[in-house]
Structure formats: structure tokens, C-alpha cells
Amino acid sequence: MNPEQELFDRLYYYSQNELNYDTYDQLPRSNAEYPFIEIAETQNDSIDAKNALSGEITQTINIWGNQDMRFLVAEMMNKFLLDRLESDHYIFDLMQSQKRILPDSSVPNTRLFHGILTLDFNYMKGRN
């Protein structure tokens, strides 16, 4: 499996099963309850593209909450600031993070907070 998919799967599992957050791989239908997590865009810059031995991955995670959940959105973002993640084949070290919380009115008659968390990981081939 490629490193960006393993990181995506590991973050999805962590969000859904360890943090017990409602987690999606795309924006859910309009009946989803707030707050929820969307494991979003992934960008991989491989150093050795053929063997995927090491490189950098940027992963975006979106956190959505209603107008009363700004503190909760910020708290949820912080739970993803992990120094290291391991998957079946790779080790991912968090190098940098960026956090933004924006007001959002894209849903009619609804005020939301949209947390955008950008995580930059270095990875290297690990076990197996």
C-alpha cells in the first residue's frame, strides 16, 4: 500500500475508533450531526518515488461544528497533533502543523465554525 493511503487510513481509524468522532472521507449529507471530522486532501512528495522509502505528506483535516462549538472545534484539532504515527509499513513524524478556524455560512440559515488543520509529516519505510 502507498504511504499516503496508509496515513489516511491511520488518521481515519484514529479519529473514528480512538477519539470516537463522526468521521468521513468527504463532506457528509446534510443530515449529519455536528461536530464531525472530514479527512480531506492528501499531497505526497516522495524522495524515492519508485520504492516510496521516504518523503513528505501534507494531510488536511476539516473539523465542522455549529455556531456554539468554536472551543470544541479547537479542542478536536489539537487531538490530531501527534508526534508520531505508525502504520503497517511506514512511520510518520509530524514536522509542522497549521490551524485555522473560520466562520462559515455556506449552509442556508446556519452559522458554522470550520476548522482547517494542515499536517506536514515526514515518512519513512518502517516495519515489513
Side-chain angles (χ1 to χ4, degrees):
M1 190 177 292
N2 61 50
E4 62 272 10
Q5 187 63 49
E6 286 200 26
L7 178 61
F8 180 95
D9 290 348
R10 183 66 185 96
L11 287 168
Y12 192 98
Y13 180 88
Y14 175 73
S15 179
Q16 180 106 9
N17 298 95
E18 295 179 34
L19 297 176
N20 296 313
Y21 294 151
D22 290 337
T23 305
Y24 302 92
D25 60 358
Q26 60 185 337
L27 284 175
R29 299 197 183 268
S30 59
N31 59 351
E33 292 189 27
Y34 296 102
F36 65 82
I37 302 288
E38 176 199 10
I39 309 294
E41 299 85 19
T42 305
Q43 177 180 329
N44 181 2
D45 295 317
S46 293
I47 293 172
D48 180 353
K50 181 177 179 184
N51 297 312
L53 296 176
S54 63
E56 299 173 359
I57 295 177
T58 300
Q59 178 66 56
T60 302
I61 299 173
N62 293 311
I63 298 93
W64 294 89
N66 68 29
Q67 66 185 359
D68 300 320
M69 296 180 174
R70 189 189 192 293
F71 179 81
L72 181 58
V73 166
E75 191 174 66
M76 292 170 76
M77 292 172 84
N78 288 335
K79 300 241 173 136
F80 285 92
L81 300 178
L82 304 166
D83 290 334
R84 174 173 279 194
L85 284 170
E86 294 188 26
S87 68
D88 289 341
H89 302 102
Y90 295 93
I91 297 168
F92 303 94
D93 290 315
L94 182 62
M95 303 308 293
Q96 182 176 343
S97 65
Q98 297 174 342
K99 298 187 282 185
R100 296 174 64 198
I101 298 179
L102 306 170
D104 186 287
S105 59
S106 61
V107 177
N109 303 314
T110 306
R111 292 179 57 217
L112 303 172
F113 281 109
H114 178 193
I116 304 169
L117 180 61
T118 304
L119 303 173
D120 295 324
F121 291 94
N122 281 347
Y123 70 87
M124 62 183 199
K125 192 84 166 170
R127 309 174 293 213
N128 302 332

